[in-house]
Amino acid sequence: MEDTRPKLTCRTMFVLGAMNMIDCINVNLLTPYVDEMVSDFLHKGPEEPEVAHTVGLLIGLYSFCEVCFSIIWGTLADKIGRKPALLIGLGGSVIAPIMFGLGQSLSVVFAARALDGFFCGNVGVTRTYLGEIVDETNEARGFGFLATCFSVGLFVGPMLGGELVYPARWAPSLFAGTVFDEHPYLLPNLTYAIFAAIAWVIGALFLEETLPRGRRCCSRGEQEAPFRRQTSLTPGTDPIGAPTGFMLDEPEVTPRCESRCFPPTLIRCIAAYCAIGGCSACSSQLFILLVTVPQASGGFGLRPSEIGALQNVAALGLLLTQLVLYPKLTKRFGFLRIFLCGWMLNVVGYCLFPVYAIFADPEKYGFFRFVPLAFMQLVIAMGGGFMFPTAFAFINRASVGLERGKVNGVANSAGAMCRALLPPTAAVLFTLGSRSGLPLGRYMPIFVNFLAGSVVLAFAIPGLRLVNESSARKLRAPRPASSSTAHDSASRREPLVGIEA
């Protein structure tokens, strides 16, 4: 039977990368100016506790919407196909940012942010799409490329948000007295919307569907699913998530859409993704809050453009990590060791923040006060470049035989829940720590954040190790003389417990 599914070609990677980059820009576009925006709307200083709390809610709202709707988008992708789901979500990303930029009150920007979060399904669906066209020989390349595009988004997002905000100030001859003067946050959001529209056109023209109509979940809970007979131990996955060694045989009607449970190993892989995603979102907000503390209070007092420049250093570090370090290091040391190395880099990079604060005085250290912050951004970018594509690969491997759209929807929803809850919690801890009068009080949420993340990873590591060792055995296994032994091995599946799929 001829395999007509899309291959991992440069064109496919480019299209998926463009969509992934757009989503990344969308997440961090507002970070350089969000504190000033909220401060303007509330008519209070950026250091006020109410401002910090509102910033946390506004940033976390997008993730809260992901919690509510990611599973819906994953299930929709299993029913109507990957490409339509991606295009619908990307279309919403064109409209919502314009509403956000035109908002002149907190209620309007919160509503626009919520609408933007509703069309959040592309993150999980792009990983689902990629997981269906890679195998274990090129998954590091595929997921690493998505992370590379993510790093480009990290570069473009802060640049748009930090450099294009308040255009009437830096280009009064062009923007003074225009709609961009009245709405100072519109230009970066409008520019992003144009990028999203271009990505939509590219996806509509060049993206191929990976889920044939005969393999999509039907509303009645049944579909025609082929029986799989394993003929080799060749690693990889086919469009419905089975190893490539499983060949399609005579079809039978099976209840693919009926309720099933995720295996414990997959639950642990999702928990690892939640830990790194939640801790990263929390740390990113804490970074913004800490570096915007006024100089009179012993802080850096950085402006949005300066914050954007530092985040560009992180984006550059992530890009270099993915292009140079990640493929080689994963091949030499394995996915699990690289994942743990990335976590340690993040822990060390953020927990040294009290040391960076020694250089906060601009009169004493001048430009060199940016050096420790840039170093921190570089280190944590390397850590993120090691962790996130590895976590995606682990989830992809652990979801063999399941409905990948729903699996990635659940994973994205669970991760988004952490990204939604932790930033407001960190803002509250930041406020309490700042009021405590303790020397390291404002840094307390950093230590709490990584302590909690380490506890979750301690639970997840056994599952990651199991997936890692299983993949290593497949790569070392010789091709068997017959399919019976392989079929018997494949039939001994892990018991299904935990979250319903």
Side-chain angles (χ1 to χ4, degrees), residues 359 361-362 364-372:
F359 304 92
D361 189 351
K364 186 175 182 180
Y365 296 101
F367 174 80
F368 291 99
R369 70 190 183 120
F370 294 103
V371 173

Side-chain angles (χ1 to χ4, degrees), residues 298-313:
F300 284 89
L302 299 186
R303 300 186 301 272
S305 59
E306 294 170 331
I307 296 173
L310 288 172
Q311 290 179 323
N312 288 341
V313 173

Side-chain angles (χ1 to χ4, degrees), residues 41-336:
F41 289 149
L42 293 177
H43 305 291
K44 296 183 178 181
E47 72 279 2
E48 292 293 328
E50 186 178 354
V51 172
H53 180 66
T54 306
V55 167
L57 291 176
L58 185 58
I59 293 178
L61 179 60
Y62 186 93
S63 296
F64 177 77
C65 291
E66 285 187 281
V67 174
C68 299
F69 302 114
S70 288
I71 299 177
I72 296 176
W73 285 103
T75 303
L76 183 66
D78 285 332
K79 293 188 179 222
I80 68 174
R82 316 307 187 199
K83 181 176 178 178
L86 287 171
L87 294 180
I88 294 173
L90 202 56
S93 296
V94 177
I95 300 172
I98 298 177
M99 296 176 55
F100 188 88
L102 290 173
Q104 291 187 303
S105 66
L106 279 178
S107 59
V108 174
V109 297
F110 266 89
R113 186 69 170 170
L115 180 63
D116 206 5
F118 173 76
F119 295 100
C120 63
N122 282 5
V123 174
V125 180
T126 52
R127 292 202 296 265
T128 301
Y129 189 106
L130 183 62
E132 291 173 335
I133 62 176
V134 299
D135 55 41
E136 292 182 10
T137 64
N138 58 15
E139 64 179 347
R141 174 188 167 213
F143 286 108
F145 180 77
L146 283 188
T148 301
C149 295
F150 187 87
S151 69
V152 175
L154 286 178
F155 177 84
V156 176
M159 181 181 67
L160 293 179
E163 301 297 334
L164 299 185
V165 73
Y166 300 114
R169 296 181 183 176
W170 49 265
S173 60
L174 291 177
F175 299 105
T178 66
V179 66
F180 298 103
D181 191 3
E182 183 181 358
H183 303 277
Y185 311 106
L186 175 60
L187 184 58
N189 287 278
L190 180 61
T191 305
Y192 162 78
I194 294 173
F195 287 164
I198 295 173
W200 190 96
V201 173
I202 293 174
L205 293 177
F206 300 110
L207 195 66
E208 301 178 64
E209 180 58 64
T210 61
L211 191 64
R213 292 184 181 274
R215 293 174 183 164
R216 298 177 189 177
C217 279
C218 58
S219 59
R220 295 182 180 179
E222 291 185 346
Q223 73 168 11
E224 191 173 59
F227 172 79
R228 304 178 190 88
R229 172 175 53 84
Q230 185 172 356
T231 58
S232 73
L233 287 178
T234 306
T237 57
D238 75 358
I240 56 174
T244 50
F246 287 81
M247 305 301 294
L248 299 180
D249 206 339
E250 55 272 52
E252 64 178 10
V253 176
T254 56
R256 287 269 303 181
C257 295
E258 68 181 8
S259 177
R260 292 188 297 173
C261 296
F262 287 174
T265 299
L266 177 58
I267 294 175
R268 292 177 185 267
C269 292
I270 293 176
Y273 169 67
C274 291
I276 63 175
C279 288
S280 295
C282 181
S283 301
S284 296
Q285 179 178 330
L286 288 173
F287 172 78
I288 301 296
L289 293 175
L290 286 169
V291 299
T292 55
V293 172
Q295 297 174 9
S297 301
F300 284 89
L302 299 186
R303 300 186 301 272
S305 59
E306 294 170 331
I307 296 173
L310 288 172
Q311 290 179 323
N312 288 341
V313 173
L316 180 61
L318 182 56
L319 181 63
L320 294 177
T321 299
Q322 291 301 318
L323 293 179
V324 180
L325 297 178
Y326 184 72
K328 296 180 181 179
L329 293 179
T330 52
K331 185 176 180 180
R332 180 169 182 178
F333 299 105
F335 280 92
L336 182 58

Side-chain angles (χ1 to χ4, degrees), residues 265 268-270 272 336 339-340 391 394 457 460-469:
T265 299
R268 292 177 185 267
C269 292
I270 293 176
L336 182 58
F339 179 88
L340 296 177
F394 279 140
L457 284 183
I461 284 176
L464 303 183
R465 182 178 292 113
L466 181 62
V467 174
N468 193 64
E469 293 175 353

